């Protein structure tokens, strides 16, 4: 019989997880504190699965109808978690709301069910230190939109039992995501720490009048980005010389001295913020954000297909 996954919180991310788990044949039970959110989620999942099937982008071997048949809603938290292999918490990123949801979950969960949180920013130990099931708590942080961007950061708290992240990693691989396992918790996890370094330097270059907003974004989208869609920073370096030692022989001292000139971390406020907002809005007015998001997701869909194709080369 298919194993069951419980989803707590049926918003954007809860819906994506539900589709991903069902694509690999798991039974999914969706819960939300707002019952109408569950109904809304089921309707939207149905229309998304049908559209994915129509456009031949549906993941997994099952039909849209079969996948939909694996997903059900419930208005009872206990029903959502009972017998589940894992419960994926997907409530809003507001600490008090998350803590309340986790306390409610903790009261009804029983071993060996794993409690996994989708949090983007909260440290696992902050979320779980008072839970009686804290040894089976872990973070599994997806990247939006998870259906097309496959990375999942798995982050344990100091007291998480070692089998828990191992099982979650295996689960992520089974559903076709690409997990990375942090050995210990750290603020921002890995992805956001790297993203913040880039954002800080981009901000400094605009603030210091080196490049304008449109051009600095091209440095990523037309320069680093295309490479980084396929190779990480380290492999890029390895290939850019005759291996890593040769790369460091050639470039390490320059990298070190340029890095010393980076300057302090910007506060991202005041005049620089006003200027960046004005330039961004000239390029993409606020009323066009939704349209541009749809374009971004269409690009990511095509990129995910290309990545699949090159993986098999
Ligand atoms: P959302 O606001 O779309 O959905 C949250 C849902 O949780 C709502 O349906 C709300 O009714 C429900 N909820 C609130 N309190 C609850 C409770 N006590 N019990 C059950 N359900 C409850 O939020 P979204 O964007 O789906 O984010 C969920 C989590 O995923 C957050 O931790 C966020 O940081 C993380 N995440 C979000 C990403 C994004 O781009 N949106 C990307 C990666 C992670």
């Amino acid at each position: 019989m298919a194993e069951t996954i419980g989803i707590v919180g049926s918003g954007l991310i809860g819906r994506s997880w539900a589709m991903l788990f069902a694509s690999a044949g798991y039974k999914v039970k969706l819960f939300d504190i707002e019952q109408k959110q569950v109904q809304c989620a089921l309707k939207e999942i149905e229309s998304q699965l049908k559209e994915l099937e129509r456009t031949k982008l549906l993941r997994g071997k099952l039909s849209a109808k079969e996948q939909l048949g694996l997903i059900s809603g419930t208005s009872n938290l206990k029903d959502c978690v009972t017998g589940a292999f894992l419960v994926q918490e997907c409530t809003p990123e507001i600490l008090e709301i998350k803590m309340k949801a986790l306390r409610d979950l903790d009261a009804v969960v029983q071993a060996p069910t794993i409690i996994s949180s989708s949090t983007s920013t909260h440290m696992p130990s902050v979320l779980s230190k008072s839970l009686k099931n804290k040894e089976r708590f872990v973070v599994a942080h997806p990247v939006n939109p998870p259906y097309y961007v496959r990375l999942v950061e798995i982050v344990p708290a100091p007291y998480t039992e070692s089998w828990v992240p191992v099982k979650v990693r295996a689960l992520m691989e089974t559903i076709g995501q690409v997990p990375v396992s942090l050995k210990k918790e750290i603020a921002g996890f890995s992805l956001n720490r790297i993203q913040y370094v880039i954002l800080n330097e981009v901000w400094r270059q605009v603030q210091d009048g080196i490049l304008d907003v449109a051009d600095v974004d091209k440095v990523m989208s037309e320069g680093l980005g295309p490479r980084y869609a396929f190779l990480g920073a380290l492999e890029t370096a390895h290939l850019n010389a005759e291996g890593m030692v040769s790369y460091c022989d050639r470039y390490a001292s320059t990298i070190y001295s340029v890095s010393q000139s980076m300057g302090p971390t910007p506060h991202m406020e005041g005049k620089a913020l006003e200027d960046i907002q004005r330039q961004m809005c000239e390029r993409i007015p606020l009323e066009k954000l939704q349209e541009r998001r749809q374009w971004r997701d269409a690009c990511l869909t095509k990129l995910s297909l290309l990545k699949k194709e090159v993986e098999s080369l």
Side-chain angles (χ1 to χ4, degrees):
M1 205 179 80
E3 282 187 289
T4 302
I5 307 270
I7 306 263
V8 173
S10 314
L12 181 69
I13 293 298
R15 294 168 197 193
S16 301
W17 278 124
M19 288 164 59
L20 287 170
F21 290 129
S23 76
Y26 287 91
K27 277 175 85 173
V28 178
K29 281 195 187 171
L30 273 174
F31 170 81
D32 200 288
I33 201 152
E34 300 269 354
Q35 188 51 29
K36 68 174 188 319
Q37 275 287 79
V38 176
Q39 298 318 322
C40 223
L42 291 171
K43 268 204 194 115
E44 200 196 296
I45 288 171
E46 178 173 10
S47 86
Q48 280 198 42
L49 288 176
K50 283 184 179 159
E51 181 61 13
L52 287 163
E53 188 166 62
R54 192 185 67 75
T55 51
K56 302 203 179 341
L57 292 169
L58 189 68
R59 286 173 58 162
K61 296 195 173 81
L62 304 172
S63 68
K65 195 166 170 229
E66 287 167 327
Q67 294 189 23
L68 191 63
L70 291 168
I71 305 173
S72 60
T74 175
S75 56
N76 181 319
L77 182 59
K78 191 159 186 208
D79 177 43
C80 173
V81 309
T82 302
F85 161 64
L86 172 141
V87 181
Q88 187 70 32
E89 174 274 314
C90 309
T91 63
E93 194 64 5
I94 298 164
L95 189 59
E96 305 79 69
I97 296 183
K98 262 205 188 316
M99 299 287 265
K100 174 170 181 335
L102 286 166
R103 274 197 306 275
D104 292 350
L105 194 50
D106 194 41
V108 290
V109 149
Q110 294 201 345
T113 300
I114 294 169
I115 304 177
S116 171
S117 172
S118 304
T119 185
S120 314
T121 59
H122 300 301
M123 298 273 261
S125 60
V126 170
L127 292 178
S128 63
K129 61 178 179 286
S130 317
L131 304 182
K132 65 180 191 318
N133 291 289
K134 64 182 180 183
E135 293 82 7
R136 295 190 316 286
F137 180 91
V138 73
V139 163
H141 171 229
V143 184
N144 199 36
Y147 208 80
Y148 302 110
V149 183
R150 294 178 298 167
L151 188 81
V152 179
E153 295 180 287
I154 299 175
V155 193
Y159 38 75
T160 303
E161 287 176 0
S162 58
W163 63 271
V164 173
V166 172
K167 281 251 177 198
V168 175
R169 186 178 175 111
L171 172 68
M172 293 304 150
E173 281 166 352
T174 305
I175 65 173
Q177 296 302 88
V178 178
V180 293
S181 303
L182 278 71
K183 297 191 174 49
K184 56 183 178 183
E185 62 180 9
I186 182 168
F189 313 148
S190 175
L191 181 140
N192 275 327
R193 290 179 79 89
I194 294 173
Q195 176 163 246
Y196 296 163
V197 170
I198 294 171
L199 203 46
N200 282 332
E201 178 53 20
V202 160
W203 195 277
R204 281 188 294 249
Q205 290 190 18
V206 175
Q207 187 171 266
D208 296 348
I210 312 286
L211 282 175
D212 65 18
V213 161
D215 275 4
V216 85
D217 266 3
K218 283 183 205 144
V219 174
M220 285 305 296
S221 64
E222 300 297 327
L224 291 171
R227 274 204 305 229
Y228 285 171
F230 299 97
L231 314 172
L234 293 175
E235 189 179 345
T236 298
H238 197 59
L239 298 189
N240 274 359
E242 299 312 310
M244 208 59 206
V245 168
S246 142
Y247 183 85
C248 291
D249 274 349
R250 291 182 208 180
Y251 305 117
S253 64
T254 307
I255 294 172
Y256 188 83
S257 82
V258 172
S259 302
Q260 295 302 300
S261 73
M262 293 282 182
T265 306
H267 282 287
M268 301 189 175
E269 59 189 19
K271 194 181 157 317
L273 171 59
E274 275 170 33
D275 186 35
I276 290 175
Q277 166 82 350
R278 182 185 49 74
Q279 290 189 52
M280 280 311 314
C281 288
E282 278 165 19
R283 280 182 61 207
I284 305 157
L286 295 180
E287 60 278 12
K288 294 253 164 93
L289 284 181
Q290 194 47 28
E291 202 179 295
R292 190 70 174 166
R293 286 187 193 114
Q294 282 167 358
W295 174 82
R296 172 200 66 191
D297 290 351
C299 294
L300 290 171
T301 308
K302 293 211 160 150
L303 181 63
S304 76
L305 294 176
L306 178 63
K307 278 176 75 75
K308 243 191 212 144
E309 194 184 313
V310 297
E311 268 165 20
S312 58
L313 290 181

